[in-house]
């Protein structure tokens, strides 16, 4: 895996004006944050348990429009020892959802000089389609090695056998699309799954831990080496969650437990001072957490380039 973000003259059509990747080194472990694009979704998804005027106030304070919010979609590539690990796989391409601004992972991996055949492991924070969708694309699948290991919580696999959508607050069409993607994934990769119960070390210094909440098997990935640490929080933390950790996200299958998980995780990160990356925080998403009264504050790192 190359963490070089300089243009490669020999590649045609893969470089963007601003490369959508950002390299971090945690001790002896290389981490690359890659943007899969953005998901434009209704702002109601940010907190469906509060009134529209309350949400509008937060959006106005953030200099954001009141009607739609662009959710970043971030993926990690991690190199530890002789293992190259992909954490989640982006949205893929589902034409029925009209989300053309996401699903960019394949070309961005190529632009970063990462060969899919070099990936030894995939870790899934959970099985929502914007985390497993890339794995469902034929061109993507064909490049993966046959002995690829996919690590996912056993509770997550079990949940998607008969998923409960009674507490979510999603736009029309999303529940069916999520069910379909999870079913396709289970059929395509059942023989490559490495299921764990609560915690599992994927590679030296790379540990995946189940949190539950967002989905029953939702997990976070902590990378620790040389006295440094970074946590990839998946969908446990959204941009609004620092100021309002008690707001319910529309894609949470257990909103009350999600809020408890979010607050506990933010408290842990604020206490440790370690770095945070999350799927839907603005790219490159690398920052730290500070306590701010009864809530929290996200402190983005100064870019090192």
């Amino acid at each position: 895996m190359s963490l070089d973000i300089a243009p490669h003259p020999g590649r045609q059509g893969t470089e963007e004006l601003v490369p959508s990747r950002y390299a971090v080194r945690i001790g002896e472990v290389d981490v690359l944050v890659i943007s899969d694009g953005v998901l434009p979704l209704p702002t109601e998804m940010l907190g469906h348990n509060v009134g529209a005027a309350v949400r509008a106030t937060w959006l106005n304070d953030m200099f954001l429009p009141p009607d739609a919010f662009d959710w970043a979609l971030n993926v990690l590539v991690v190199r530890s020892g002789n293992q190259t690990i992909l954490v989640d796989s982006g949205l893929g391409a589902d034409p029925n959802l009209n989300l053309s601004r996401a699903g960019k992972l394949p070309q961005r991996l190529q632009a970063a000089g990462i060969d899919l055949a070099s990936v030894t492991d995939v870790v899934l924070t959970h099985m929502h389609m914007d985390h497993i969708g890339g794995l469902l694309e034929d061109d993507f699948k064909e490049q993966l090695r046959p002995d690829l290991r996919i690590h996912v919580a056993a509770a997550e696999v079990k949940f998607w056998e008969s998923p409960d959508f009674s507490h979510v607050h999603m736009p029309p069409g999303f529940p069916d699309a999520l069910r379909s993607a999870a079913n396709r994934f289970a059929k395509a990769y059942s023989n490559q799954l490495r299921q764990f119960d609560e915690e599992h070390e994927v590679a030296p210094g790379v540990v995946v831990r189940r949190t539950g909440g967002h989905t029953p098997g939702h997990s976070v990935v902590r990378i620790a080496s040389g006295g440094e640490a970074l946590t990839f929080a998946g969908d446990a933390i959204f941009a609004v969650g620092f100021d309002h950790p008690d707001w319910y996200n529309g894609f949470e299958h257990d909103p009350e437990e999600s809020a408890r998980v979010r607050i506990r995780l933010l408290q842990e990160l604020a206490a440790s001072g370690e770095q945070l990356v999350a799927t839907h925080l603005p790219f490159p998403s690398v920052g730290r957490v500070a306590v701010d009264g009864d809530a929290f504050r996200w402190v983005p790192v100064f870019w090192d380039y």
Side-chain angles (χ1 to χ4, degrees), residues 63-288:
F63 298 92
L64 294 169
D67 49 351
F69 182 77
D70 285 346
W71 290 15
L73 188 49
N74 302 311
V75 173
L76 290 191
V77 178
V78 180
R79 185 175 63 194
S80 175
N82 61 0
Q83 291 175 250
T84 298
I85 305 155
L86 182 66
V87 182
D88 290 336
S89 70
L91 181 70
D94 188 333
N96 297 319
L97 290 175
N98 192 30
L99 295 171
S100 59
R101 295 169 64 197
K104 309 297 185 182
L105 184 62
Q107 56 263 48
R108 288 175 175 171
L109 286 172
Q110 181 184 1
I114 297 169
D115 183 0
L116 278 171
S118 70
V119 175
T120 58
D121 301 82
V122 173
V123 177
L124 297 177
T125 59
H126 60 298
M127 288 169 55
H128 275 164
M129 61 190 175
D130 54 326
H131 300 257
I132 62 173
L135 291 168
L136 301 178
E137 297 301 310
D138 288 339
D139 290 346
F140 199 97
K141 286 192 292 185
E142 289 170 359
Q143 299 178 63
L144 296 172
R145 54 200 296 166
D147 60 346
L148 178 74
R149 298 175 294 262
I150 301 177
H151 307 269
V152 60
E156 187 71 4
V157 177
K158 181 67 176 176
F159 173 74
W160 287 102
E161 293 175 0
S162 181
D164 178 8
F165 284 83
S166 61
H167 299 293
V168 302
H169 196 87
M170 301 176 182
F174 273 78
D176 288 342
L178 288 164
R179 286 190 190 94
S180 174
N183 288 336
R184 289 165 55 206
F185 170 79
K187 290 178 181 177
Y189 292 102
S190 60
N191 293 332
Q192 291 166 273
L193 298 184
R194 301 294 184 268
Q195 300 183 43
F196 63 92
D197 291 325
E198 297 299 327
E199 188 172 290
H200 171 63
E201 186 176 54
V202 178
V206 182
V207 174
V208 57
R209 171 171 61 93
R210 187 180 78 87
T211 64
H214 188 76
T215 61
H218 180 277
S219 302
V220 300
V221 179
R222 187 170 188 266
I223 300 159
S225 175
E228 300 176 319
L230 179 150
T231 290
F232 183 74
D235 283 14
I237 299 172
F238 295 80
V240 74
F242 299 95
D243 295 329
H244 301 288
D246 57 335
W247 285 16
Y248 295 169
N249 184 277
F251 288 84
E252 292 167 341
H253 292 260
D254 187 340
E256 292 184 3
E257 178 62 13
S258 293
R260 288 190 287 268
V261 166
R262 181 161 42 254
I263 292 169
R264 187 163 58 245
L265 184 57
L266 287 167
Q267 289 172 337
E268 291 172 0
L269 292 167
S272 70
E274 67 191 57
Q275 296 184 77
L276 163 70
V277 175
T279 304
H280 300 298
L281 292 181
F283 179 83
S285 173
V286 184
R288 290 183 171 85

